[in-house]
Amino acid sequence: TLVNTVDGDTFKADVALWPGLTERALVRLAGVDTPELKGPTACERALAVKARDYLDMLLRSGPITINAINNDKFAGRVDAVVTVGTVDASVALITSGNGRQYLGGPRLSWCL
């Protein structure tokens, strides 16, 4: 169950691990980068709000499935493949222009 959308590629959810056992998790979408809400420019911050709102709308549009869970580079967060209904959330962010493919390494600027 979605708790809240943190930013364009991260959300908090109550995840059913086993019948009667739920854990609150911070989930980052695997394979995508979105602008940062605390980015260095007003341009990036505006794009970040748009990406966050898009992800929030997507996550609220259907059942959320979380698969291929891996440890993230930041403690307390996991990376995962997330689908909403049959839609891959990372692919949806990329094709909508709200994100871009990310396979690690340095992040590129969103506003030149």
Side-chain angles (χ1 to χ4, degrees), residues 12 19 22-23 29 32 47 50 55 65 80 83 85 93-94 100-101 103:
K12 191 178 292 184
T22 301
E23 181 73 29
L29 303 177
V32 67
L47 292 172
K50 185 174 177 258
L55 179 61
T65 304
T83 54
L93 279 160
I94 293 166
R100 60 182 167 215
Q101 185 177 27
L103 304 174

Side-chain angles (χ1 to χ4, degrees), residues 2 7 21 28-29 36-37 42 47 57 64 66 72 75 78 89 91 103-106 110 112:
L2 177 66
D7 61 23
L21 179 61
R28 185 182 182 287
L29 303 177
E36 298 297 327
L37 289 167
L47 292 172
M57 177 273 310
I64 300 167
I66 302 170
D72 185 68
V78 297
V91 171
L103 304 174
W110 283 91
L112 298 176

Side-chain angles (χ1 to χ4, degrees), residues 41-106:
T41 66
C43 170
E44 181 166 345
R45 293 188 297 272
L47 292 172
V49 169
K50 185 174 177 258
R52 181 202 56 209
D53 292 349
Y54 179 86
L55 179 61
D56 188 68
M57 177 273 310
L58 179 64
L59 292 172
R60 293 179 188 284
S61 71
I64 300 167
T65 304
I66 302 170
N67 289 303
I69 300 168
N70 291 297
N71 290 326
D72 185 68
K73 64 182 177 182
F74 297 110
R77 186 171 82 172
V78 297
D79 286 336
V81 174
V82 175
T83 54
V84 182
T86 60
V87 176
D88 181 307
S90 295
V91 171
L93 279 160
I94 293 166
T95 58
S96 69
N98 288 295
R100 60 182 167 215
Q101 185 177 27
Y102 182 69
L103 304 174

